[in-house]
Amino acid sequence: MAWNIEWRASLANLGTMVKYLSISMLVPLFVAVVYSEDIWVFLLSIAITAAAGFALEQLEKEPDLGPSEALLLVSLAWTTASIFGAIPFLLGGLGTESTIGLSLESGSAAVSSIVNALFESTSGFTTTGATVLGEISLERHSHALLLWRQLIQWLGGMGIIVLMIAILPELAVNGAQLMQSEAPGPDLQKLTPRIAETARALWLLYFGFTVLLVMILYGLHLAGFAPKMNLYNAVAHGFTTLPTGGFSPQADSIAAFSAAVQWAIIPFMVVAGTNFALFWHVLKGEAERLYQNSEFRAYTGLLAVFTAVLAAILFGGAAPVLEIGGPTEGLAENSLRHAAFQIGSLLNSTGYANANFAQWNQSAQIFLFFAMFVGGSAGSTGGGVKVVRWLVVLKAIRRELYTTAHPEVVEPVRLAGTVVSEDAIRGITAFTMLYLILFGVGAVFLGLDAGRAGFDLTVLEAASASLATLGNIGPGFGRLGPFGSYLFFPDSSKLLMTLFMWLGRLEIVPVLALFVTGVRDR
Amino acid sequence: MRILIVGAGEVGSSIAANLAKNHDVVVIETDEAVVEDLNFSLDVLAVQGDGTDLEVLEEADVRRADMVIAATDSDETNIVISGTAKTIADIFTIARVKRRRLLTTWEQSQGAFGVDFMVCTDLISAEAIFRTSEVPNAHDVDTFANGLIRMVELNIEVGSPIAGQRVADVDIAETLTFAGIFRDDELIVVTGDTTIEAGDKLVVIGSQEAVQDFAAETAVESPNGIDDVVIIGGSEVGYQTARLFEANGYHPRLIEQDRYRARELSELLTDTTVMESDGTDTEFLKRENVGDADVVIVCLESNEKNLLASLLARKIGAKRTLAIVETAEYADLFEEIGVNIAIDPRLETAEEIVRFTREGHTEKVVMLQHDRAEVLEVEIDDTSWVAGRELVDVVDELPDGVVIGAISRDGELLGPRGATVFEPGDHVVVFVDATVLDEIIHRF
């Protein structure tokens, strides 16, 4: 295996990305000014990030990206963004009791704090939403820092690379290759002849939905339906709903807000898990494309069925005594709202909570766990295996059974009448298998690592931690529940989960392709 | 009429043979041996050369021709020939194509490519197969007047309820007419006294339902329509046939031996079960219960294979078999040996093209029993001698061997009665004995 990669070209482009990342830090800086908080954290972060960006850019004046360089760029972009994104956490928590602030007490404490900050930042950019914060509160952390946590999820949602293609003309040449490596789902859909316009269209849609949600949330506040949903909270939750992120500056997530807010967020979570290309077609006046799309039909169908089943379970009394969220037994509105919210949140990997589902009974928990395997749609901001892959896998299995009885039958797998090529089926089956294997291996590793470190980790906790990070979902079960934290894991486990979030966001293949073959000759 | 035929392949040469009787035919063909052969075997002028070449067209005197029929093996060539001929001469152009898509394009933009009429051989063969398989015991089925009127040539089998009956005693619907009977090599004009015998081929003309009902009544075992359709051979005809069955709500099975073609077909056909196997593999046919099929259609690449596969299907129990026959002379042989119906693609194509060579207002021509008789659809115009006259008078003046089968007026079917008065605009379906054909063509 020869590494004939023009790595300088990749790194120089990376430098450009880092430079732009420093600009995005102006947002929390502005918030710090507004709330009269410490501005040095972000000024320093901006300086470090911008300097690093400029330095990297000097490696190659006219970077020329081939397919291998593109793959390297995409893989590195997410780690690099996570690393620089962690700087404000480290600086902001310096000298405080924050679990993600840089600790200088001892060598191992410093390492742990850096691992924590990296975990939190990766969880942000990959829109996972798993946290290692010991306590989420505006008393403990500044408004600016918690908003940064929300903002990086928003940046990661539609894709850092897609954003770069949208704004950097020089990336457009290899844009399709770049987007293919980053975009969730098995296929890249070009909406316009020029890839940069496609990227811009997707980001505009994403931006539009975000603005709409912020306006609705703040509107509810002004109308008196949501006392706690002030402008800061409205923006913060707008930032993490559309990317299926799940971070919240509130310790009790969406349970902190009124039922009206919860109902308002549900449709936006559904939108976030939908292929954004479909909305583009709807805006073009082809609304029928939405319901003709077999993935969208399956996705909404699954949401409806899962919600109905969970609502029935909750109505039957699966949530006996709850600290947060309130009882559901025999309460129709509560049951339905909790079911719709939690399925809308977990099926497509958002990770918000409006009740502590980790305290629901076994039947409800195992059902939610099952829902987590589904994932969003291809071309959405959601994580997981993706609905379209499950559709193809199930149809391929059905065909396998049929041809066992009739060996001569030749039958293609179809999605809404369109034939799925055998190559695509092989790729999708391999991906799904790999996903399940990684999930299993991850759970075992976390269990063994917990044993080594000498603390108790239940099977459900280990399994849900593996799945919640690989699928970019966020919360798990037990102590990893929606209002819990991943803080108690040893550093080694946190690093594995950081890797999992990265693998999950890039859908495993580009990253593994880097290490296996693919990137050989130019 | 002076007719130029380009390409003397199977279709081209059979059209040439058909037209040579009544018209001046010039054939252009690239293969020298074929040219030589044609000059001797048919009363036509054969010219060697490439039909897309202007010089060759000039040599064939395209400017004096009334019609050019482009029937080479290449779709593009045929279209170029039509376009070229159209630009240099005032001429009626007919192009034969294989790809159905081209036909669709042409249909949606009439006159495209300089083609006045486009005929897709495989599609019309498939249509003939589909029409014939839907009617029990039918030997040939055709529709007229936009599907309003149907003609069926029925096989009267031993044990049929009407075998041995006098025509006058057979109870038929008002909208049905007995046109004629083919018995052995004879054409019998039907009267009330004619006795129908087993082995006859009875031609009836009437409304869709009347024909369908009558065919079902005369069948030995009355099947409740067809359901299980098996197509052996994924040729273009096989594919088009499957498509037609799909379009009419059937779920046919299609057997194709070639792996890649099978895959291609499975992608093209959504409601068809495609199987990759040899259609002559008895073990496979039995395992997949092909013997239970209501109709087995064989469209393999050679006569021998078609015959073999049809006979095998019959042997394991298939109720009815239809096979494509590539050589016109074998059609009867096929049917004698045990294939229920042999479909000749060239005949079907010729029927489509020949009508343009007829003077007057012939809308459609169907040839029966090697052109022993024809069924014509004629439009009556103001100048026609029959306009404004009663049917009974008209019939008196017509020679023997001509039967008025049905009349359509303003989209409605009129059962022909003696007192019916012909009006301009009527479409009349007439059964004509070929011996009096020339006489009759000029009469309407």
Side-chain angles (χ1 to χ4, degrees):
Chain A
M1 189 173 95
W3 282 72
N4 294 331
I5 296 184
E6 294 282 333
W7 54 272
R8 285 166 181 276
S10 307
L11 289 189
N13 272 306
L14 210 56
T16 314
M17 184 205 80
V18 172
K19 202 173 70 182
Y20 279 92
L21 188 64
S22 71
I23 295 175
S24 70
M25 291 179 183
L26 291 172
V27 177
L29 182 67
F30 173 73
V31 172
V33 171
V34 169
Y35 284 92
S36 332
E37 289 167 348
D38 177 31
I39 59 167
W40 287 105
V41 172
F42 280 97
L43 278 180
L44 203 54
S45 301
I46 290 171
I48 295 171
T49 312
F54 276 113
L56 280 173
E57 267 190 334
Q58 304 314 309
L59 280 173
E60 181 76 53
K61 285 292 176 202
E62 283 173 10
D64 179 24
L65 282 183
S68 311
E69 287 75 31
L71 212 54
L72 183 66
L73 172 61
V74 171
S75 300
L76 287 182
W78 289 81
T79 30
T80 311
S82 301
I83 290 167
F84 286 97
I87 292 175
F89 293 146
L90 289 168
L91 295 178
L94 189 64
T96 72
E97 284 175 33
S98 168
T99 51
I100 54 173
L102 186 60
S103 167
L104 298 174
E105 284 172 24
S106 66
S108 65
V111 169
S112 287
S113 62
I114 291 171
V115 168
N116 281 351
L118 192 62
F119 182 100
E120 194 76 10
S121 176
T122 306
S123 172
F125 275 108
T126 60
T127 74
T128 305
T131 186
V132 287
L133 281 178
E135 186 187 331
I136 304 173
S137 73
L138 289 166
E139 285 82 50
R140 179 61 60 81
H141 298 98
S142 68
H143 283 83
L145 196 73
L146 284 184
L147 193 78
W148 174 242
R149 192 163 157 267
Q150 305 295 109
L151 180 63
I152 58 177
Q153 285 209 322
W154 191 74
L155 290 175
M158 191 42 83
I160 304 173
I161 300 292
V162 179
L163 184 56
M164 278 174 75
I165 294 167
I167 55 179
L168 296 181
E170 62 266 31
L171 273 179
V173 180
N174 255 299
Q177 167 78 24
L178 286 165
M179 261 173 86
Q180 166 72 13
S181 313
E182 188 187 61
D187 248 339
L188 169 73
Q189 282 171 306
K190 272 199 188 186
L191 303 175
T192 55
R194 290 180 184 279
I195 197 74
E197 280 172 30
T198 301
R200 245 167 266 152
L202 292 175
W203 263 93
L204 271 177
L205 274 168
Y206 182 59
F207 186 78
F209 275 120
T210 308
V211 170
L212 184 64
L213 176 61
V214 171
M215 278 164 38
I216 290 175
L217 291 180
Y218 193 53
L220 285 173
H221 174 71
L222 294 180
F225 292 111
K228 288 178 77 177
M229 188 53 83
N230 54 23
L231 188 59
Y232 178 84
N233 273 330
V235 172
H237 290 93
F239 274 160
T240 55
T241 302
L242 268 308
T244 67
F247 274 160
S248 168
Q250 299 294 327
D252 43 3
S253 191
I254 310 300
F257 303 103
S258 63
V261 168
Q262 296 175 14
W263 279 117
I265 286 178
I266 291 172
F268 283 88
M269 293 195 294
V270 174
V271 162
T274 305
N275 188 346
F276 274 72
L278 291 176
F279 296 122
W280 191 81
H281 290 300
V282 171
L283 281 184
K284 286 247 147 187
E286 299 169 283
E288 70 278 5
R289 292 281 288 259
L290 198 60
Y291 58 83
Q292 278 169 1
N293 183 282
S294 51
E295 185 181 24
F296 181 72
R297 288 209 306 248
Y299 169 64
T300 43
L302 278 173
L303 284 174
V305 171
F306 276 64
T307 300
V309 173
L310 186 61
I313 296 175
L314 289 176
F315 193 76
V321 191
L322 285 191
E323 298 160 5
I324 303 165
T328 58
E329 188 172 1
L331 299 170
E333 196 270 347
N334 251 11
S335 301
L336 187 63
R337 177 159 47 85
H338 285 159
F341 193 93
Q342 236 37 84
I343 291 298
S345 163
L346 294 182
L347 183 131
N348 66 26
S349 86
T350 305
Y352 279 156
N354 67 343
N356 193 352
F357 56 77
Q359 288 177 356
W360 290 352
N361 72 13
Q362 289 287 336
S363 58
Q365 289 202 27
I366 204 73
F367 190 72
L368 275 180
F369 187 61
F370 180 61
M372 285 179 171
F373 277 95
V374 177
S377 308
S380 73
T381 63
V385 173
K386 306 280 174 329
V387 176
V388 70
R389 288 208 180 87
W390 285 122
L391 274 180
V392 170
V393 166
L394 290 176
K395 287 188 174 195
I397 290 172
R398 197 202 65 87
R399 174 178 70 171
E400 217 52 47
L401 295 178
Y402 184 64
T403 49
T404 308
H406 302 274
E408 287 88 1
V409 168
V410 183
E411 195 184 85
V413 170
R414 284 193 168 83
L415 279 182
T418 313
V419 173
V420 183
S421 79
E422 295 304 313
D423 286 349
I425 296 173
R426 206 173 52 226
I428 287 168
T429 318
F431 174 92
T432 312
M433 264 331 282
L434 190 58
Y435 188 91
L436 295 179
I437 289 170
L438 280 174
F439 154 68
V441 170
V444 171
F445 179 92
L446 294 177
L448 292 177
D449 204 37
R452 181 188 61 80
F455 72 96
D456 279 337
L457 191 70
T458 67
V459 173
L460 190 60
E461 280 170 346
S464 66
S466 180
L467 183 63
T469 50
L470 187 63
N472 299 141
I473 298 161
F477 295 98
R479 281 165 290 168
L480 312 174
F483 313 123
S485 167
Y486 283 67
L487 185 60
F488 63 87
F489 277 104
D491 290 347
S492 45
S493 291
K494 282 177 193 154
L495 283 175
L496 177 88
M497 288 189 279
T498 307
L499 175 71
F500 266 28
M501 291 188 266
W502 184 48
L503 284 175
R505 178 58 183 84
L506 294 183
E507 301 212 312
I508 307 170
V509 178
V511 179
L512 293 186
L514 260 185
F515 296 110
V516 187
T517 54
V519 272
R520 281 231 297 265
D521 308 305
R522 279 220 60 177
Chain B
M1 221 183 208
R2 193 180 167 88
I3 297 165
L4 187 59
I5 298 173
V6 187
E10 287 174 358
V11 175
S13 53
S14 78
I15 296 169
N18 193 293
L19 298 178
K21 253 190 305 181
N22 299 318
H23 304 279
D24 297 336
V25 177
V26 182
V27 180
I28 299 176
E29 163 64 42
T30 46
D31 188 333
E32 209 155 341
V34 175
V35 169
E36 192 150 322
D37 193 42
L38 272 180
N39 272 324
F40 289 105
S41 63
L42 292 179
D43 187 16
V44 300
L45 168 66
V47 177
Q48 195 270 326
D50 181 347
T52 57
D53 190 340
L54 195 59
E55 267 178 49
V56 176
L57 286 175
E58 298 277 12
E59 190 190 333
D61 220 351
V62 63
R63 289 174 206 277
R64 270 182 57 214
D66 302 293
M67 175 185 289
V68 60
I69 300 169
T72 72
D73 272 340
S74 149
D75 291 358
E76 286 76 8
T77 307
N78 292 339
I79 286 170
V80 170
I81 291 167
S82 301
T84 313
K86 198 79 182 176
T87 41
I88 60 171
D90 176 23
I91 196 167
F92 190 85
T93 57
I94 297 177
R96 172 236 182 173
V97 294
K98 289 181 178 156
R99 286 207 302 281
R100 213 189 141 270
R101 295 255 168 207
L102 279 173
L103 180 66
T104 314
T105 309
W106 177 79
E107 279 172 345
Q108 284 165 0
S109 49
Q110 279 285 349
F113 320 127
V115 175
D116 290 314
F117 183 70
M118 191 176 266
V119 56
C120 177
T121 313
D122 297 322
L123 179 62
I124 58 178
S125 305
E127 282 169 347
I129 291 173
F130 176 71
R131 284 196 307 266
T132 316
S133 20
E134 268 208 321
V135 182
N137 287 340
H139 180 262
D140 195 350
V141 178
D142 257 297
T143 57
F144 300 87
N146 294 325
L148 196 62
I149 302 170
R150 190 173 263 219
M151 182 246 27
V152 175
E153 186 183 346
L154 284 171
N155 285 323
I156 305 301
E157 293 174 356
V158 181
S160 163
I162 64 162
Q165 286 202 39
R166 282 171 64 240
V167 167
D169 299 335
V170 179
D171 182 29
I172 56 168
E174 277 182 17
T175 50
L176 198 72
T177 308
F178 283 172
I181 292 173
F182 294 104
R183 182 173 301 159
D184 300 325
D185 287 334
E186 248 185 303
L187 170 59
I188 299 169
V189 177
V190 180
T191 66
D193 287 330
T194 314
T195 306
I196 300 166
E197 291 176 14
D200 282 357
K201 289 192 165 71
L202 171 64
V203 180
V204 297
I205 297 168
S207 71
Q208 290 259 20
E209 306 77 46
V211 167
Q212 189 80 27
D213 291 348
F214 181 71
E217 278 166 29
T218 57
V220 176
E221 44 179 317
S222 178
N224 301 322
I226 54 165
D227 177 37
D228 190 359
V229 178
V230 175
I231 301 165
I232 299 177
S235 58
E236 192 60 23
V237 180
Y239 161 61
Q240 296 293 353
T241 307
R243 244 179 40 88
L244 283 174
F245 274 103
E246 281 188 351
N248 287 279
Y250 294 92
H251 298 275
R253 287 184 279 168
L254 194 157
I255 301 165
E256 164 61 40
Q257 194 168 5
D258 182 75
R259 164 176 287 257
Y260 297 102
R261 178 66 178 164
R263 170 76 199 185
E264 188 187 357
L265 289 169
S266 71
E267 292 183 5
L268 291 168
L269 297 162
T270 43
D271 286 334
T272 301
T273 307
V274 178
M275 289 180 278
E276 179 199 328
S277 177
D278 182 355
T280 54
D281 177 348
T282 325
E283 196 264 329
F284 157 77
L285 294 176
K286 279 185 182 160
R287 180 154 42 83
E288 287 293 339
N289 298 322
V290 172
D292 295 345
D294 297 313
V295 56
V296 174
I297 295 155
V298 189
C299 324
L300 292 164
E301 63 273 28
S302 74
N303 282 330
E304 295 80 359
K305 286 194 174 176
N306 283 341
L307 183 60
L308 181 61
S310 316
L311 295 181
L312 275 176
R314 284 286 281 192
K315 187 153 182 286
I316 60 171
K319 292 189 192 72
R320 240 173 134 212
T321 55
L322 278 82
I324 289 285
V325 56
E326 300 287 348
T327 317
E329 301 86 73
Y330 292 168
D332 293 340
L333 185 66
F334 267 44
E335 287 172 9
E336 265 170 43
I337 300 174
V339 180
N340 292 85
I341 298 136
I343 302 267
D344 182 356
R346 276 139 328 127
L347 178 68
E348 304 292 334
T349 310
E351 284 179 354
E352 284 286 313
I353 291 178
V354 161
R355 67 182 164 108
F356 292 104
T357 67
R358 299 281 167 83
E359 286 159 42
H361 308 276
T362 312
E363 297 286 315
K364 180 157 184 168
V365 177
V366 172
M367 301 179 208
L368 300 174
Q369 296 290 313
H370 306 296
D371 215 3
R372 280 292 309 280
E374 288 188 3
V375 179
L376 310 174
E377 179 184 342
V378 184
E379 187 181 345
I380 307 296
D381 68 8
D382 303 338
T383 60
S384 170
W385 67 279
V386 300
R389 299 184 61 177
E390 282 192 4
L391 184 133
V392 65
D393 298 341
V394 172
V395 171
D396 274 349
E397 287 187 37
L398 290 172
D400 279 351
V402 180
V403 178
I404 307 280
I407 301 161
S408 111
R409 178 174 300 161
D410 303 326
E412 290 199 31
L413 178 71
L414 307 179
R417 308 262 171 71
T420 309
V421 177
F422 288 103
E423 287 179 14
D426 284 359
H427 281 230
V428 184
V429 177
V430 209
F431 174 90
V432 186
D433 186 335
T435 52
V436 294
L437 188 63
D438 290 340
E439 205 178 323
I440 207 74
I441 281 176
H442 305 287
R443 298 293 288 273
F444 280 93

